[in-house]
C-alpha cells in the first residue's frame, strides 16, 4: 500500500509541476506581449485633440409658437394660477423685464379688443410682482438664469406684437396667449442646457 501511495503522490506532483510550468509560461508570454504593446503605444504620437465646438443656439420661431398655441388652446391646458404665488419678500430682480412683459400684455390686450379693467397703480404693481415672482422662480433653474429672462421677454413681446397672432386671437382661434407664450419659451428651451 505504501508503494501505491508513493506512485499516486508522484503522479499528483507531476500534474502540479506541469500545471505550474504551463501557467508560468503563459504569464511570461503575456508579460512579453503587454510589454511590446506598451512600447508601441509609447512610440506612437498622440492624436491632435479636436477643438471644442460651440453648441448650436436653440432658436424658437413664431411658426413653432403658432403651432403650439393652437395645439395648446385645443387641448385646453390651464394657465398657471395667479392667485397663489409663494409669498416671497419683494425684490427688484428682473423687475425691468417683467414690467416690460406687463406693458406688452396690456398693449396686446388693447390690440385684440379685450376688455381691460382700469387698474390703479397698486393693483398693477401687485400683478407685476406676482409675474416677477413667477419669472424669478423659473429663472432659478440652473438651465436658465438672467439670459433666459432677457430672451423670454424679447420673445414674448415679439409674439404679442406679431400681427398673425393678434389676428388669431381676434378671430377667436386662441383663448389665452400670454402664459402659453411664456410656457412655450420655457418648455422649448428647457430641453436644452444653456
Amino acid at each position: 500500500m505504501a508503494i501505491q501511495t508513493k506512485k499516486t503522490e508522484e503522479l499528483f506532483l507531476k500534474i502540479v509541476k506541469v500545471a505550474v510550468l504551463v501557467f508560468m509560461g503563459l504569464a511570461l508570454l503575456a508579460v512579453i506581449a503587454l510589454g511590446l504593446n506598451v512600447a508601441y503605444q509609447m512610440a506612437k504620437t498622440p492624436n491632435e485633440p479636436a477643438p471644442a465646438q460651440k453648441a448650436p443656439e436653440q432658436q424658437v420661431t413664431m411658426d413653432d409658437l403658432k403651432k403650439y398655441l393652437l395645439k395648446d388652446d385645443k387641448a385646453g391646458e390651464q394657465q398657471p394660477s395667479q392667485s397663489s404665488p409663494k409669498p416671497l419678500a419683494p425684490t427688484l430682480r428682473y423687475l425691468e423685464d417683467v414690467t416690460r412683459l406687463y406693458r406688452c400684455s396690456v398693449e396686446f390686450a388693447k390690440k385684440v379688443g379685450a376688455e381691460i379693467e382700469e387698474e390703479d397703480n397698486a393693483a398693477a404693481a401687485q400683478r407685476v410682482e406676482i409675474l416677477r415672482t413667477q419669472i424669478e422662480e423659473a429663472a432659478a433653474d440652473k438651465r436658465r438664469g438672467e439670459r433666459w429672462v432677457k430672451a423670454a421677454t424679447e420673445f414674448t413681446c415679439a409674439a404679442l406684437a406679431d400681427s398673425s397672432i393678434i389676428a388669431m386671437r381676434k378671430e377667436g382661434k386662441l383663448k389665452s396667449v400670454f402664459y402659453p407664450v411664456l410656457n412655450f419659451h420655457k418648455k422649448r428651451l428647457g430641453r436644452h442646457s444653456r
Side-chain angles (χ1 to χ4, degrees):
M1 186 142 173
I3 297 176
Q4 184 70 12
T5 306
K6 189 175 182 182
K7 287 183 181 179
T8 307
E9 287 177 358
E10 287 176 6
L11 177 68
F12 280 118
L13 284 174
K14 286 180 183 177
I15 292 172
V16 169
K17 183 176 158 184
V18 170
V20 167
L21 288 175
V22 167
F23 285 126
M24 287 178 67
L26 289 174
L28 183 62
L29 289 175
V31 167
I32 292 171
L34 291 174
L36 291 173
N37 186 30
V38 166
Y40 171 73
Q41 295 294 331
M42 294 289 285
K44 193 167 79 169
T45 58
N47 294 338
E48 188 73 27
Q53 300 287 330
K54 184 176 179 180
E57 289 288 328
Q58 297 299 322
Q59 299 293 326
V60 288
T61 64
M62 288 298 163
D63 291 333
D64 293 337
L65 173 63
K66 291 172 196 168
K67 291 175 191 172
Y68 173 81
L69 288 174
L70 289 171
K71 185 176 102 181
D72 183 55
D73 206 50
K74 288 179 182 172
E77 290 183 7
Q78 299 293 324
Q79 66 182 12
S81 172
Q82 294 182 358
S83 60
S84 60
K86 294 178 184 174
L88 296 175
T91 65
L92 296 178
R93 191 164 193 192
Y94 309 127
L95 185 60
E96 283 182 37
D97 297 303
V98 172
T99 303
R100 182 166 174 230
L101 278 173
Y102 178 75
R103 288 182 182 141
C104 290
S105 69
V106 169
E107 288 297 316
F108 177 76
K110 287 178 184 175
K111 288 178 184 175
V112 298
E115 292 182 28
I116 303 172
E117 294 179 22
E118 288 297 319
E119 295 183 326
D120 60 356
N121 287 339
Q126 183 180 9
R127 284 185 186 267
V128 168
E129 180 55 29
I130 290 169
L131 181 59
R132 191 205 59 75
T133 302
Q134 292 169 346
I135 294 292
E136 185 174 2
E137 288 173 2
D141 187 317
K142 66 181 178 181
R143 297 170 292 178
R144 295 188 188 106
E146 189 170 342
R147 286 179 47 199
W148 175 81
V149 173
K150 300 281 185 209
T153 301
E154 290 295 321
F155 182 77
T156 304
C157 285
L160 294 176
D162 188 73
S163 59
S164 59
I165 292 177
I166 291 170
M168 288 167 60
R169 176 64 175 97
K170 281 183 177 179
E171 295 168 5
K173 292 180 180 177
L174 302 173
K175 294 176 188 160
S176 179
V177 176
F178 182 75
Y179 278 105
V181 170
L182 274 177
N183 287 335
F184 171 78
H185 195 272
K186 187 175 11 175
K187 288 178 186 176
R188 178 77 173 185
L189 295 179
R191 289 181 280 177
H192 311 284
S193 60
R194 250 194 320 176

